């Protein structure tokens, strides 16, 4: 077992790429200060009667909020659930967002517990991919019933398969001509979009008109999707739309984003929060860092920023 793990680590390490060769950045990255250090957490299971489907959620909110809050919905990767990526939910709540983490039944941790064979089969089922953006739209419908959520100013953030969820809700067009865009989504942050050959139509990303941050790392490899760091660039390189960004982090691999603990979590959270603040709070200083393309450093890590 240890030998297999060592061989896998060597393989993944050999799959790392280099940062793009860009000019130096001029604007320094500054992590946003917490507006509300105290965060409340709650859990619920909402039932979508139209699909006869339960959608479990974990909600992170700034304590003592006196007004309706902009919403961020998080879509997990394959084999994760609403309790994954808690570091990000708490960090975004500290920034003043009502953050809702969703469990997508069929591609969640419950399937992983049955074994990788079942998880691999789940990845091959189209219905599981279609269900993901529908889960998020249903969650937004439920949030509309609350008095603390400003659903008309919502963002979608997702990792791996969750990145597909984010692109689908942002307006990505599939090879069959389908789109699952939700107009309530105003900003999208897909992290580690997988390689999905034949799924996205030629020019399918061009239908996206909202600001999008593609976030990845130079070691962002995923064997289950046959995806290497160069493939993470495909959405950014394929689009001709404006307000599209790509941030690449040196030495960061796929599992760091979803790990229960990792030293990079404060950096991931700060970059996502800054992008959301730039477009949802009209934070000019935060936006300036993303608009200043080039290579630089953020919280001790070498990064590159590209935009269209």
């Amino acid at each position: 077992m240890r030998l297999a793990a060592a061989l896998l680590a060597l393989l993944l390490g050999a799959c790392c790429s280099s940062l793009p060769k860009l000019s130096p950045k001029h604007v320094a990255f500054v992590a946003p200060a917490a507006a509300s250090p105290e965060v409340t957490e709650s859990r619920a299971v909402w039932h979508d009667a139209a699909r006869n489907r339960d959608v479990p959620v974990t909600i992170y909110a700034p304590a003592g909020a006196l007004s309706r809050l902009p919403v961020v919905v998080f879509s997990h990767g394959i084999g994760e659930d609403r309790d994954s990526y808690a570091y990000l939910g708490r960090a975004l709540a500290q920034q003043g967002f009502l953050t809702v983490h969703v469990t997508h039944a069929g591609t969640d941790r419950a399937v992983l517990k049955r074994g990788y064979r079942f998880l691999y089969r789940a990845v091959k089922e189209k219905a599981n991919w279609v269900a993901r953006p529908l889960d998020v739209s249903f969650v937004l419908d439920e949030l509309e019933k609350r008095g603390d959520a400003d659903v008309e100013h919502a963002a979608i953030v997702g990792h791996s398969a969750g990145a597909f969820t984010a692109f689908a809700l942002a307006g990505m067009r599939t090879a069959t001509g389908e789109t699952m865009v939700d107009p309530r989504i105003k900003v999208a942050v897909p992290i580690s979009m997988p390689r999905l050959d034949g799924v996205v139509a030629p020019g399918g990303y061009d239908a996206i008109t909202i600001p999008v941050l593609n976030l990845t790392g130079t070691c962002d490899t995923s064997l289950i999707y046959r995806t290497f760091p160069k493939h993470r660039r495909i959405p950014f390189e394929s689009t001709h739309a404006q307000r599209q960004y790509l941030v690449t982090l040196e030495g960061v691999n796929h599992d760091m984003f979803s790990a229960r603990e990792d030293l990079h979590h404060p950096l991931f959270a700060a970059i996502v929060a800054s992008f959301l603040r730039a477009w949802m709070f009209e934070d000019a200083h935060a936006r300036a860092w993303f608009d200043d393309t080039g290579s630089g450093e953020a919280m001790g890590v070498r990064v590159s920023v590209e935009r269209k």
Side-chain angles (χ1 to χ4, degrees):
M1 191 68 177
R2 290 182 178 178
L3 178 60
L7 291 174
L8 179 60
L10 287 173
L11 174 61
L12 295 179
C15 296
C16 293
S17 63
S18 301
L19 283 178
K21 294 182 179 180
L22 304 172
S23 59
K25 286 178 61 63
H26 299 95
V27 177
F29 181 79
V30 178
S36 175
E38 297 296 324
V39 172
T40 64
E41 300 180 20
S42 59
R43 297 160 65 82
V45 178
W46 294 333
H47 182 70
D48 184 351
R51 296 184 294 153
N52 191 26
R53 179 178 171 90
D54 286 337
V55 181
V57 297
T58 296
I59 303 171
Y60 303 90
L66 301 177
S67 60
R68 295 169 68 215
L69 301 169
V71 171
V72 179
V73 182
F74 186 87
S75 175
H76 63 75
I78 297 294
E80 303 292 342
D81 59 20
R82 62 177 171 173
D83 294 322
S84 306
Y85 313 87
Y87 73 92
L88 189 54
R90 296 185 184 111
L92 294 181
Q94 289 179 329
Q95 291 298 318
F97 296 99
L98 182 73
T99 308
V100 184
H101 286 221
V102 181
T103 292
H104 299 291
T107 53
D108 61 334
R109 190 177 297 275
V111 179
L112 175 60
K113 287 181 179 179
R114 298 175 63 192
Y116 281 99
R117 178 164 56 95
F118 290 94
L119 190 64
Y120 183 76
R121 287 178 180 174
V123 171
K124 296 296 184 180
E125 295 182 17
K126 179 182 176 181
N128 285 328
W129 293 88
V130 172
R132 286 172 151 267
L134 292 178
D135 286 344
V136 174
S137 289
F138 167 70
V139 164
L140 292 177
D141 292 342
E142 290 298 297
L143 291 172
E144 284 183 344
K145 303 173 184 178
R146 297 167 59 109
D148 59 350
D150 183 3
V151 177
E152 294 304 317
H153 294 85
I156 177 68
V157 181
H159 176 235
S160 197
F164 167 85
T165 310
F167 273 120
L169 290 160
M172 180 185 70
R173 187 165 46 85
T174 67
T176 58
E178 297 172 291
T179 178
M180 304 182 75
V181 62
D182 191 314
R184 294 169 293 188
I185 297 294
K186 301 299 191 293
V187 184
V189 182
I191 305 170
S192 305
M193 175 64 169
R195 175 186 181 181
L196 297 173
D197 294 342
V199 174
V200 183
Y205 294 105
D206 288 344
I208 298 173
T209 59
I210 63 173
V212 173
L213 168 63
N214 295 272
L215 183 59
T216 184
T218 58
C219 301
D220 196 351
T221 297
S222 176
L223 298 182
I224 191 170
Y225 296 117
R226 299 179 296 111
T227 304
F228 296 92
K230 65 180 181 181
H231 298 121
R232 308 292 185 194
R233 299 182 54 88
I234 290 175
F236 177 75
E237 293 178 340
S238 298
T239 184
H240 299 291
Q242 297 181 343
R243 303 188 297 175
Q244 309 299 296
Y245 296 79
L246 171 63
V247 171
T248 306
L249 311 173
E250 188 172 57
V252 167
N253 67 39
H254 194 70
D255 293 336
M256 290 177 180
F257 293 106
S258 59
R260 189 170 296 275
E261 294 182 7
D262 190 271
L263 293 176
H264 293 83
H265 284 177
L267 173 61
F268 302 155
I271 290 176
V272 173
S274 292
F275 191 78
L276 296 178
R277 289 184 59 86
W279 294 101
M280 299 179 76
F281 290 165
E282 300 297 329
D283 187 330
H285 181 76
R287 182 173 171 180
W289 185 79
F290 292 98
D291 284 341
D292 177 37
T293 58
S295 296
E297 185 176 288
M299 298 173 63
V301 176
R302 293 287 300 168
V303 304
S304 68
V305 179
E306 302 170 72
R307 68 176 174 88
K308 290 188 175 180

Coordinates of all heavy atoms in Angstrom, one line a residue, residues 199-227:
V199 N -18.0 17.0 -24.5 CA -19.1 17.5 -23.7 C -19.5 19.0 -24.0 O -20.7 19.3 -24.1 CB -18.8 17.4 -22.2 CG1 -19.9 18.0 -21.3 CG2 -18.7 15.9 -21.8
V200 N -18.5 19.8 -24.1 CA -18.7 21.2 -24.4 C -18.7 21.5 -25.9 O -17.8 21.0 -26.6 CB -17.6 22.1 -23.7 CG1 -17.9 23.6 -23.9 CG2 -17.5 21.8 -22.2
A201 N -19.7 22.2 -26.4 CA -19.8 22.6 -27.8 C -18.6 23.5 -28.2 O -18.1 24.2 -27.4 CB -21.1 23.2 -28.1
P202 N -18.2 23.4 -29.5 CA -17.2 24.4 -30.0 C -17.8 25.8 -29.7 O -18.9 26.1 -30.1 CB -17.1 24.1 -31.5 CG -17.5 22.7 -31.6 CD -18.6 22.5 -30.5
G203 N -17.0 26.7 -29.1 CA -17.5 28.0 -28.7 C -18.5 28.0 -27.6 O -19.1 29.0 -27.3
G204 N -18.6 26.9 -26.9 CA -19.6 26.8 -25.8 C -19.4 27.7 -24.6 O -20.3 28.0 -23.9
Y205 N -18.1 28.1 -24.4 CA -17.9 29.0 -23.3 C -18.2 30.5 -23.7 O -18.3 31.3 -22.8 CB -16.4 28.9 -22.9 CG -16.0 27.6 -22.3 CD1 -15.3 26.7 -23.0 CD2 -16.4 27.3 -21.0 CE1 -14.9 25.4 -22.5 CE2 -16.1 26.0 -20.5 CZ -15.3 25.1 -21.2 OH -15.0 23.9 -20.7
D206 N -18.4 30.8 -25.0 CA -18.6 32.1 -25.4 C -19.9 32.7 -25.0 O -20.2 33.9 -25.1 CB -18.4 32.3 -26.9 CG -16.9 32.1 -27.4 OD1 -16.1 32.3 -26.5 OD2 -16.7 31.9 -28.5
A207 N -20.9 31.8 -24.7 CA -22.2 32.2 -24.3 C -22.2 32.8 -22.9 O -23.1 33.4 -22.4 CB -23.2 31.1 -24.3
I208 N -21.1 32.6 -22.2 CA -20.9 33.1 -20.8 C -20.6 34.6 -20.8 O -19.6 35.0 -21.5 CB -19.8 32.3 -20.0 CG1 -20.2 30.8 -19.9 CG2 -19.6 32.9 -18.7 CD1 -19.1 30.0 -19.3
T209 N -21.4 35.4 -20.1 CA -21.2 36.8 -20.1 C -20.8 37.4 -18.8 O -20.5 38.5 -18.6 CB -22.4 37.6 -20.7 OG1 -23.5 37.2 -19.8 CG2 -22.7 37.2 -22.1
I210 N -20.9 36.5 -17.7 CA -20.6 37.0 -16.4 C -19.1 36.9 -16.1 O -18.4 36.1 -16.8 CB -21.4 36.2 -15.3 CG1 -21.0 34.7 -15.4 CG2 -22.9 36.4 -15.5 CD1 -21.7 33.9 -14.2
P211 N -18.6 37.6 -15.1 CA -17.2 37.4 -14.7 C -16.9 36.0 -14.2 O -17.7 35.4 -13.4 CB -16.9 38.4 -13.6 CG -18.1 39.4 -13.7 CD -19.2 38.6 -14.3
V212 N -15.8 35.4 -14.7 CA -15.4 34.0 -14.3 C -13.9 34.0 -13.9 O -13.1 34.5 -14.7 CB -15.6 33.0 -15.5 CG1 -15.1 31.7 -15.2 CG2 -17.1 32.9 -15.9
L213 N -13.7 33.4 -12.8 CA -12.3 33.1 -12.4 C -12.0 31.6 -12.5 O -12.6 30.8 -11.7 CB -12.1 33.6 -10.9 CG -10.7 33.1 -10.3 CD1 -9.5 33.7 -11.0 CD2 -10.7 33.5 -8.8
N214 N -11.1 31.2 -13.4 CA -10.6 29.9 -13.5 C -9.4 29.8 -12.5 O -8.5 30.6 -12.7 CB -10.2 29.5 -14.9 CG -11.3 29.5 -15.9 OD1 -12.0 28.5 -16.1 ND2 -11.5 30.7 -16.5
L215 N -9.5 28.9 -11.6 CA -8.4 28.7 -10.6 C -7.8 27.3 -10.7 O -8.6 26.3 -10.7 CB -8.9 29.0 -9.2 CG -7.9 28.9 -8.0 CD1 -6.9 30.0 -8.2 CD2 -8.7 29.2 -6.7
T216 N -6.5 27.2 -10.8 CA -5.8 25.9 -10.9 C -4.4 26.0 -10.3 O -4.0 27.1 -9.8 CB -5.8 25.5 -12.4 OG1 -5.3 24.2 -12.5 CG2 -5.0 26.4 -13.2
G217 N -3.7 24.9 -10.4 CA -2.3 24.8 -10.0 C -1.4 24.2 -11.0 O -1.9 23.4 -11.9
T218 N -0.1 24.3 -10.9 CA 0.8 23.7 -11.8 C 0.9 22.2 -11.7 O 1.4 21.6 -12.6 CB 2.2 24.3 -11.7 OG1 2.7 24.1 -10.4 CG2 2.2 25.8 -12.0
C219 N 0.4 21.7 -10.6 CA 0.4 20.2 -10.4 C -1.1 19.7 -10.4 O -1.3 18.6 -9.8 CB 1.1 19.8 -9.2 SG 2.9 20.4 -9.1
D220 N -2.0 20.4 -11.0 CA -3.4 20.1 -10.9 C -3.8 18.9 -11.8 O -4.4 19.1 -12.9 CB -4.2 21.3 -11.2 CG -5.7 21.2 -10.7 OD1 -6.1 20.1 -10.3 OD2 -6.4 22.2 -10.8
T221 N -3.4 17.7 -11.4 CA -3.7 16.5 -12.2 C -4.8 15.7 -11.6 O -4.8 15.5 -10.4 CB -2.4 15.7 -12.4 OG1 -1.4 16.4 -13.1 CG2 -2.6 14.4 -13.1
S222 N -5.6 15.1 -12.4 CA -6.7 14.2 -11.9 C -6.7 13.0 -12.8 O -7.1 13.1 -14.0 CB -8.0 14.9 -12.0 OG -9.1 14.1 -11.6
L223 N -6.4 11.8 -12.3 CA -6.3 10.6 -13.1 C -7.7 10.1 -13.5 O -7.8 9.5 -14.6 CB -5.5 9.6 -12.4 CG -4.0 9.9 -12.0 CD1 -3.4 8.8 -11.3 CD2 -3.3 10.3 -13.3
I224 N -8.7 10.3 -12.6 CA -10.0 9.8 -12.9 C -10.6 10.4 -14.2 O -11.4 9.8 -14.9 CB -10.9 9.9 -11.7 CG1 -12.2 9.1 -12.0 CG2 -11.3 11.4 -11.5 CD1 -13.1 9.0 -10.7
Y225 N -10.2 11.7 -14.4 CA -10.7 12.4 -15.6 C -9.6 12.4 -16.7 O -9.9 13.1 -17.8 CB -11.1 13.8 -15.3 CG -12.2 14.0 -14.3 CD1 -12.0 14.6 -13.1 CD2 -13.5 13.6 -14.6 CE1 -13.0 14.7 -12.2 CE2 -14.5 13.7 -13.8 CZ -14.3 14.3 -12.5 OH -15.3 14.5 -11.6
R226 N -8.5 11.8 -16.5 CA -7.4 11.9 -17.5 C -7.0 13.3 -17.8 O -6.8 13.7 -18.9 CB -7.7 11.1 -18.8 CG -8.0 9.7 -18.6 CD -8.3 9.0 -19.9 NE -9.6 9.5 -20.5 CZ -9.7 10.2 -21.6 NH1 -8.6 10.5 -22.3 NH2 -10.8 10.7 -22.0
T227 N -7.0 14.1 -16.7 CA -6.8 15.6 -16.8 C -5.4 16.0 -16.3 O -5.1 15.6 -15.2 CB -7.9 16.3 -16.1 OG1 -9.2 15.9 -16.6 CG2 -7.8 17.8 -16.3

